[in-house]
Amino acid sequence: MTSAELHGPDGGSHRPALGRAVAVDPAKFAEAYWGKQALLTRADELAGPDGFRDLLSPEAVDELLSERGLRTPFLRVADKGRVLPASAFTGGGGAGAEIADQVIDDKVMKLYADGATLVLQGLHRIWPPLIEYSRRLADELRQPLQVNAYLTPAGNKGFATHYDTHDVFVLQVDGTKRWRIHEPVLPEPLERQAWGGRADEVGATAEGPAALDVVLSPGDALYLPRGWLHSAEAQGERSLHLTFGVRALTRYAVVEELLALAATDQRLRATLPYALDVADPDQIAPELTETVAALRDWLLTADPAELAERLRARAWPSQRPEPVKPLAQLAFADALTPADTVTLRHGLHWRITPGGDDSVVLRMPAGTLRFPAYCENALRSVLDGNAWRVGDLPGLDDDPDRLVLTRRLLREAVLVPALS
């Protein structure tokens, strides 16, 4: 069993995080549904009688709106299909808080009472149960994700029929909501291909028969690939649901990075002919042929390592590692002994490369660290994801060297104390 299956709030279960959102085997989900088909899973197949209230509850929403000092953009408010300006529900933070955009609870209450939908955004950054669960789910999917919560008054629809440019998992927490789902008008849209540019086509498709017309009750879950049209309306009571948006890289991202690398090819940097009329298809045709040939020749020489480096730089920053408690972390580092155990900060991406001058470089999303080459064995060991006793780190002559290395990695938030 992996560490991702052992940690985090999951209603007392040790099953994988994906098992709280879909009931099918992960391999079958990947083959039959991921990016292809919508999937409805009922509560009796998933979460049991308590549903998803351990992740977020109406009481937790009240706490976030009234006691956590939320600012924009952690709250968005929509009314009759229109997103309201932040000034409609924010204001000053009061004495000693020079903040002009803090969420004002009574303003929010009045808007909600009048039928507005509240969207709590970025909950994977601010609400502890969702910080932990979203980290586990992202680990299993190997994709970055974000978490929003939607609180809709009875009988209201927050947004008109639309599609998202990322896959979503919907977990119904409280109340009921009717979802009408239609197949895509544009399969697998890119982020730049938002539904607004196809509003007429989306609206016309939404008038036709739905591929799925269901009411979600507490504990039910729904998976929608990007591009699938959907609208949701609360039924005879308020509705609260969570949406996990999965922002996966696409093959188009690979194309974009390949084109960036192709700038090294002189044929592709060549100036177009003198006095060429770029508006004339007949004049453009031979240039297109020559450019395609040059690009094809270059692609046959493209280096996968260079492409991986560019994709790494693109993907790594999109997912934050687990939170670090600054005071506890520094106190642990100061009091460190050879008997203490440490482990890699969960979710931190890293790579070790030669640094020249008898050194190695630890590369991470936030920057690089340089170490003497003789530290490489200890570095690779302590970064392997397992818990390591400081005094057992290999490749170093004595405990003082092990303590110096480990303290630096703790203070740089690369390592954290291992849980007993």
Side-chain angles (χ1 to χ4, degrees):
M1 182 174 292
T2 67
S3 61
E5 294 173 279
L6 290 170
H7 299 133
D10 56 6
S13 168
H14 294 305
R15 61 183 167 175
L18 182 62
R20 295 203 66 180
V22 300
V24 299
D25 178 78
K28 180 178 179 181
F29 174 74
E31 178 183 359
Y33 296 100
W34 178 248
K36 301 181 183 74
Q37 291 289 331
L39 175 62
L40 170 67
T41 311
R42 292 298 187 185
D44 56 2
E45 302 175 81
L46 283 176
D50 294 329
F52 305 110
R53 292 176 68 94
D54 60 309
L55 300 178
L56 189 73
S57 65
E59 294 77 18
V61 170
D62 267 346
E63 180 179 334
L64 282 163
L65 293 173
S66 63
E67 298 177 359
R68 292 298 181 109
L70 287 190
R71 301 175 62 188
T72 56
F74 285 109
L75 179 67
R76 189 162 50 119
V77 179
D79 189 23
K80 300 177 178 64
R82 180 177 68 92
V83 176
L84 301 182
S87 58
F89 55 88
T90 62
E98 296 179 6
I99 299 170
D101 65 344
Q102 188 163 313
V103 170
I104 305 300
D105 44 17
D106 54 356
K107 289 185 177 182
V108 172
M109 180 177 66
K110 292 172 184 175
L111 290 170
Y112 176 74
D114 288 339
T117 289
L118 309 183
V119 185
L120 288 158
Q121 302 188 131
L123 291 174
H124 60 293
R125 294 286 294 122
I126 61 174
W127 189 244
L130 286 170
I131 291 172
E132 176 65 12
Y133 176 71
S134 63
R135 177 186 63 74
R136 293 175 53 224
L137 183 58
D139 275 356
E140 293 173 21
L141 298 175
R142 295 188 178 180
Q143 304 289 350
L145 54 80
Q146 66 184 58
V147 185
N148 293 349
Y150 294 79
L151 181 65
T152 308
N156 278 263
K157 179 191 295 186
F159 296 92
T161 300
H162 64 286
Y163 63 75
D164 295 316
T165 57
H166 51 268
D167 292 24
V168 297
F169 293 91
V170 176
L171 308 183
Q172 186 69 26
V173 175
D174 185 62
T176 57
K177 204 162 198 178
R178 180 189 180 192
W179 287 75
R180 286 179 51 83
I181 297 160
H182 297 78
E183 293 191 2
V185 297
L186 177 67
E188 299 185 299
L190 302 173
E191 284 194 22
R192 68 184 65 176
Q193 296 172 316
W195 75 276
R198 292 171 171 78
D200 291 343
E201 192 177 359
V202 168
T205 302
E207 293 296 324
L212 197 60
D213 189 340
V214 295
V215 174
L216 295 190
S217 299
D220 292 342
L222 178 66
Y223 166 72
L224 293 177
R226 59 192 166 105
W228 281 63
L229 310 186
H230 55 276
S231 64
E233 182 177 0
Q235 299 299 286
E237 53 191 327
R238 73 184 180 205
S239 167
L240 173 63
H241 75 264
L242 291 164
T243 295
F244 293 76
V246 185
R247 297 187 173 274
L249 286 181
T250 65
R251 284 183 176 167
Y252 192 76
V254 175
V255 171
E256 290 177 321
E257 298 303 338
L258 284 171
L259 288 177
L261 288 170
T264 60
D265 188 277
Q266 184 176 350
R267 288 173 67 189
L268 292 169
R269 299 199 310 269
T271 305
L272 293 175
Y274 176 77
L276 176 73
D277 183 358
V278 295
D280 184 347
D282 291 335
Q283 293 189 46
I284 285 296
E287 293 307 315
L288 175 61
T289 300
E290 175 64 21
T291 301
V292 169
L295 180 59
R296 181 174 58 245
D297 292 344
W298 179 84
L299 286 171
L300 293 174
T301 69
D303 183 357
E306 287 185 320
L307 176 61
E309 186 67 32
R310 293 189 67 91
L311 290 172
R312 183 181 298 115
R314 188 167 180 158
W316 277 9
S318 62
Q319 183 176 347
R320 290 180 60 87
E322 69 172 305
V324 167
K325 296 179 173 64
L327 300 184
Q329 179 92 351
L330 292 174
F332 180 81
D334 289 343
L336 191 70
T337 72
D340 288 322
T341 56
V342 294
T343 190
L344 176 68
R345 184 182 178 189
H346 198 99
L348 180 70
H349 296 290
W350 63 273
R351 185 174 177 231
I352 293 176
T353 59
D357 300 326
D358 201 27
S359 67
V360 292
V361 175
L362 175 61
R363 302 185 182 278
M364 301 168 293
T368 60
L369 299 174
R370 188 176 296 271
F371 299 89
Y374 64 79
C375 292
E376 182 172 358
N377 191 8
L379 268 175
R380 290 190 181 277
S381 298
V382 80
L383 297 177
D384 67 1
N386 295 311
W388 275 87
R389 183 178 176 273
V390 175
D392 293 337
L393 291 179
L396 298 175
D397 292 336
D398 50 34
D399 284 343
D401 284 347
R402 296 183 179 97
L403 289 169
V404 168
L405 174 65
T406 307
R407 280 198 181 101
R408 185 180 180 195
L409 293 171
L410 285 165
R411 288 171 178 154
E412 295 287 350
V414 177
L415 299 179
V416 293
L419 297 175
S420 59

